[in-house]
Amino acid sequence: MVPPVTKSTLRARLLNGQTGDPALLVSLRWQGRALLIDLGRIDRTPGHVLLPIEAVFVSHAHMDHFMGFDQLLRLFLAREGTLRLYGPAGIADCVQGKLAGYTWNLTDDYAFTLDVTEIHERELVTWRFAAAHRFEREPVGRAPFDGVCFADEILTVEAAPLDHKITSMAYAVTERTHLNVRPEALAALGIRPGPWLNRLKQAVRRHAPDDTPIEIAPGDHRPLGALRDELLLVTPGQKIAYVVDTLFSPANAARIVRLARDADVFYCESPFLDADLDQASRRYHLTAGQAGALARVARAKRLQVFHFSPRYEGRYGELVSEAHAEYHGQQVRYAELEPGGPSVP
Ligand SMILES: [Zn+2]
Ligand SMILES: [Zn+2]
């Protein structure tokens, strides 16, 4: 496939819109890869959309965030490879419990493996559940956790634990560096785009030496450094932040603002209106106004609110307007979040 000129690699969409179960698909364009943040019901999403998923990041195991597990498992079961799943401490027990609900006597020659990583305060603890071993839980290892739970050449995923009376994990996906191809430079050099552009980008991201030969056509090798300087525009990567199911407390607000800082898109829950603030606090959720204030203070470039409570059916527009009024500063009910402002109640 010819990698076209593109502004950003990450593309995110809520599989069930703003009102259905949380499930945010983050696709990496031209890479054939995807991440899924939260695993609410996904039965309306076609299999071919879900198959590129290589890792799932679960906020917490309340049903609306985790009941899509069975569907994903069924889709991946007969395939080779490993699906990774991340979540707060205790998520491996939840996975184990789900797997224990089925009979696995005919999967001995299946190559599918599920690697589950629990994000603890200071470490990542991983277990493996292999279809060939009837999904018995096997320890894989432990690694220190410094805020980043997943990292590869293209992107990193940060995790921040929030208080939802249990831990609800918030995530931010960040592209390491964005490499744009300059089409006019390509034309000026008289060379044709092709899969070699992906190889060039990968080599640049790996910080391969400048004299690394890149084959741009059969037998035609050019040094990486020259191609990079001529053809690529190197800009900071895109960032997508995701926050659901959390109390509006000073500690949570500080963590959310840090995680969502300068995000290109900030997906934030806004189940309740400010008028129902008491109800929101009792249920350890944010209001739309609070979501807007968090996005404003984090200087997120775009706010996407979702996870609306069905009690507002027919009035969902009010949740969006309240969040955006606060986000754009047309109404400031949560001034305490501003740096130097009074502390959050
Ligand atoms: Zn919840
Ligand atoms: Zn929820």
Side-chain angles (χ1 to χ4, degrees):
M1 183 174 57
V2 176
V5 178
T6 168
K7 241 178 112 305
S8 68
T9 303
L10 303 180
R11 187 166 44 181
R13 79 177 160 106
L14 291 164
L15 294 179
N16 303 307
Q18 288 168 296
T19 56
D21 282 4
L24 180 70
L25 186 75
V26 180
S27 304
L28 281 78
R29 278 197 261 199
W30 321 117
Q31 307 265 340
R33 303 171 57 195
L35 310 177
L36 184 65
I37 310 185
D38 259 349
L39 195 43
R41 58 184 294 189
I42 48 170
D43 51 345
R44 275 170 254 155
T45 307
H48 71 89
V49 174
L50 301 171
L51 278 171
I53 293 170
E54 57 188 62
V56 183
F57 299 84
V58 177
S59 60
H60 62 302
H62 281 161
M63 269 194 99
D64 54 327
H65 298 257
F66 197 48
M67 68 175 285
F69 176 86
D70 286 27
Q71 268 147 342
L72 204 62
L73 176 64
R74 181 148 189 214
L75 186 67
F76 277 80
L77 186 58
R79 304 194 177 253
E80 291 190 7
T82 299
L83 180 67
R84 301 204 239 174
L85 190 144
Y86 296 78
I91 198 72
D93 285 343
C94 296
V95 168
Q96 191 174 358
K98 288 245 184 208
L99 292 166
Y102 297 100
T103 307
W104 304 108
N105 62 316
L106 297 174
T107 58
D108 298 5
D109 54 357
Y110 281 29
F112 175 68
T113 304
L114 183 65
D115 277 5
V116 177
T117 299
E118 290 189 350
I119 304 162
H120 292 242
E121 206 180 313
R122 296 233 156 82
E123 62 177 359
L124 301 169
V125 186
T126 302
W127 283 277
R128 177 158 299 159
F129 298 85
H133 300 162
R134 303 187 180 196
F135 286 115
E136 270 172 35
R137 181 168 169 171
E138 303 161 42
V140 172
R142 292 164 183 268
F145 172 61
D146 57 359
V148 173
C149 65
F150 176 100
D152 67 11
E153 281 179 3
I154 309 281
L155 49 85
T156 61
V157 180
E158 289 165 272
L162 303 175
D163 179 11
H164 176 47
K165 212 167 181 179
I166 51 168
T167 297
S168 174
M169 204 59 78
Y171 296 100
V173 183
T174 306
E175 199 185 357
R176 283 182 187 275
T177 333
H178 197 74
L179 303 173
N180 286 310
V181 179
R182 298 167 53 224
E184 67 286 357
L186 207 55
L189 285 178
I191 46 183
R192 296 170 63 83
W196 64 270
L197 280 170
N198 264 345
R199 291 197 295 275
L200 170 67
K201 288 179 179 180
Q202 280 160 12
V204 170
R205 287 200 180 94
R206 267 202 317 274
H207 303 290
D210 280 7
D211 57 0
T212 305
I214 305 287
E215 189 173 31
I216 63 166
D220 186 355
H221 293 84
R222 311 266 176 109
L224 174 147
L227 288 172
R228 180 196 56 221
D229 296 348
E230 290 275 354
L231 296 177
L232 297 183
L233 215 57
V234 183
T235 46
Q238 213 193 351
K239 177 174 178 179
I240 292 167
Y242 177 95
V243 167
V244 284
D245 293 39
T246 179
L247 179 70
F248 190 69
S249 67
N252 278 346
R255 285 179 173 187
I256 293 167
V257 167
R258 203 177 314 131
L259 185 82
R261 171 73 64 210
D262 298 321
D264 292 274
V265 194
F266 176 24
Y267 287 86
C268 189
E269 73 151 355
S270 70
F272 294 97
L273 286 170
D274 275 342
D276 298 312
L277 179 63
D278 287 352
Q279 176 80 355
S281 308
R282 266 201 308 278
R283 301 190 58 82
Y284 281 66
H285 276 290
L286 297 177
T287 65
Q290 290 164 348
L294 290 162
R296 181 185 71 234
V297 177
R299 294 197 298 269
K301 297 185 187 84
R302 192 155 81 78
L303 169 64
Q304 175 72 58
V305 286
F306 72 112
H307 206 11
F308 301 159
S309 163
R311 64 161 61 196
Y312 303 108
E313 195 168 353
R315 302 166 57 201
Y316 291 138
E318 293 177 37
L319 290 161
V320 177
S321 348
E322 184 175 278
H324 282 263
E326 187 79 33
Y327 172 48
H328 294 295
Q330 294 145 354
Q331 150 202 304
V332 179
R333 289 201 182 120
Y334 298 95
E336 70 271 16
L337 279 185
E338 303 293 345
S343 64
V344 182

